[in-house]
Amino acid sequence: MVISHRIVLRFPRSLVDQPIVCRLIKDYNLEFNILKASVTPKEEGLLVLELSGERKDYEKGMRYLAEVGVETQPLSQDVIRNEARCTHCGACVVICPTKALALDPLTRRVDFYDDKCIACELCVLACPPRAMEVRF
Amino acid sequence: MTKTIAEINEKIRRGQAVVVTAEEVIEIAEREGVDKAARHIDVVTTGTFGPMCSSGAYLNLGHSKPRIKIGGGKAYLNDVPVYTGIAAVDVYIGVTALPDDDPRNRIPPGHFNYGGGHVIEELVAGKDIKLRVQAYGTDCYPRRELETWINLADINEAVLFNIRNAYQNYDVGVNLSDRALYTYMGVLKPNLGNANYSTSGQLSPLLNDPYYKTIGIGTKIFLGGGIGFVAWHGTQHNPDVLRGDNGVPRGPAGTLAVIGDLKQMKPQYLVGTSMLGYGCTMTVGIGVPIPILSEQILRYTAVKDEEIIAPVIDYAEAYPQGKSDILAELSYSELKSGEIEVLGKRVPTASLSSYSKAKEIAHILKEWIQKGEFLLTEPVAALPGVESGITFKHLKERPVEKAR
């Protein structure tokens, strides 16, 4: 069974110069799409990937990452909507490129589908009451 | 059929008034006809919840010992400057005010995370606010410096006084240029990337009373979660514009100045707001009750989104240059469908005004009236109407000769 997940990878400083993603893809037969990549001032690496492949291969790949010391977590945990601040105006819906923020035509409220979110952060500053919080 | 406000108030007192929202009345008028609906409906409640920049509050901070004359000096609330050009301890805080050290648009687009609107929201939420004052000192007001925490509960008066709110209709902003624009209408993506609008349409107060037949000076309203009043017509009130057969203006027209005690308001209806690359403001919740005094007034309140037309304006060229070019005229039902057509292109739409919050406000006001807690007021004077001769003036610039 083919599965696909959006995950956040954190590389400690000691691993930043190693071809870990290359081995992940070649040795475990996985496909990837880079959604975001950055190196922090502390020289730690951060990579947001959409990773897909056979379930068995995916699980082995995740074990490999854990063994070499790369921390992983699902992407959705990093993008949060502060429900108390959101006014459901809808200014974000034309800014979000993946329709993770979408207006319900019946309730006229904005729904946040965090499984569609790629953490591009465009909504964060476009939101007038600043309800979107992205934590990496 | 005619009713008076006194008669409606008597029914409200007895808990027998029939109150519906400006959304609910549409279906009732269609089902029963205007005449029948007008006979049994007493009040229609409206609502709006959007960014309103001409808002602010005046505060009387109380006198310190020894006294300090803030008037004519400098004062800050949470580092946001307030207006001090009034008496010793009165100040006015405007929602667009920014801390002196805010970088503004130095590296565009500026973020504008905190300004006067945020201070008002926090004040209403009961949070302590830091007051800092520099004064010049006088014989009767000797003190020159002051730094203290203040709290809404401890100061004498705190009054929300917004000089232009609740715009009767508004532009739809688009961008014909090839770069992103950061405007008070939100982020406008290049090449007609999106179209942003900002009224609550069929729920909006002045769109339900297009000729100001019931809303006037002294009208009691829902303001910021509490009770307020219409104080005057708002600035830029411009009644003599092009209107549809239903009387509804086809662009920005009337406005309201509103006032109310900040101490009984709620922070969820006065929300500090940041417009990327533009500035700070405050999103204000307003609800106005419309007494159904005649069939004609009910017909006005039954206006629906498809009968409210707004102009589409290019914010790259036409708006900043003060040109009156209209790219298209579209109804609110088209705008709310999520996509419109402008110059042959399909353009996704977004709102800056929250329809769901506007609906919530109309329902809260409806409940207050049904429970007999909120009586209607008779306006003490009408708002200037179409016949008033008011025109919307642009600034007339005249060269200032330099002194020799």
Side-chain angles (χ1 to χ4, degrees), chain A residues 85 87 89 94 108 128 130, chain B residues 111 113 121 189 274 351 354:
Chain A
R85 280 211 77 72
T87 64
C89 65
V94 288
R108 307 301 301 179
R130 295 281 190 269
Chain B
H111 293 186
N113 286 323
E121 181 190 336
K189 296 195 284 186
S274 306
S351 175
S354 171

Side-chain angles (χ1 to χ4, degrees), chain B residues 174 176 192 312 314 326-328 340-347:
Chain B
V174 296
L176 295 182
L192 288 166
V312 179
D314 173 30
I326 294 170
L327 297 171
I340 55 171
E341 194 176 307
V342 182
L343 304 176
K345 193 182 166 186
R346 303 300 299 173
V347 184

Side-chain angles (χ1 to χ4, degrees), chain A residues 81-89 110 127 129-132, chain B residues 357:
Chain A
R81 179 168 69 177
N82 182 336
E83 298 297 334
R85 280 211 77 72
C86 175
T87 64
H88 298 274
C89 65
V110 178
C127 170
R130 295 281 190 269
M132 299 305 294
Chain B
K357 277 278 193 180

Side-chain angles (χ1 to χ4, degrees), chain A residues 9-89:
Chain A
L9 278 56
R10 285 170 214 275
F11 298 79
R13 192 174 174 172
S14 58
L15 295 178
V16 167
D17 57 356
Q18 294 183 35
I20 288 169
V21 174
C22 179
R23 285 199 53 197
L24 179 70
I25 303 315
K26 279 169 82 177
D27 297 358
Y28 301 96
N29 197 30
L30 298 173
E31 284 186 3
F32 73 105
N33 180 20
I34 298 176
L35 302 174
K36 185 187 179 83
S38 66
V39 176
T40 68
K42 286 181 177 173
E43 293 180 32
E44 291 162 333
L46 183 140
L47 194 59
V48 182
L49 289 182
E50 180 157 11
L51 203 58
S52 50
E54 287 293 328
R55 180 183 286 278
K56 264 187 191 167
D57 294 334
Y58 184 90
E59 283 166 1
K60 279 185 200 161
M62 295 304 281
R63 267 203 295 281
Y64 159 72
L65 288 176
E67 278 162 17
V68 295
V70 176
E71 276 180 54
T72 62
Q73 72 180 83
L75 175 63
S76 58
Q77 292 180 4
D78 277 329
V79 182
I80 294 151
R81 179 168 69 177
N82 182 336
E83 298 297 334
R85 280 211 77 72
C86 175
T87 64
H88 298 274
C89 65

Side-chain angles (χ1 to χ4, degrees), chain A residues 84-97 103 105-110 122 124-130, chain B residues 49 111-113 118 121 187 189 194 196-197 271-276 336 348-357:
Chain A
R85 280 211 77 72
C86 175
T87 64
H88 298 274
C89 65
C92 54
V93 301
V94 288
I95 301 301
C96 176
L103 198 70
L106 282 179
T107 63
R108 307 301 301 179
R109 286 167 67 89
V110 178
L122 285 176
V124 175
L125 290 171
C127 170
R130 295 281 190 269
Chain B
F49 188 80
H111 293 186
F112 303 105
N113 286 323
H118 299 84
E121 181 190 336
V187 180
K189 296 195 284 186
N194 58 305
N196 285 10
Y197 61 96
V271 179
T273 298
S274 306
M275 302 308 295
L276 184 62
K336 283 166 76 177
T349 59
S351 175
L352 297 175
S353 168
S354 171
Y355 190 84
S356 63
K357 277 278 193 180

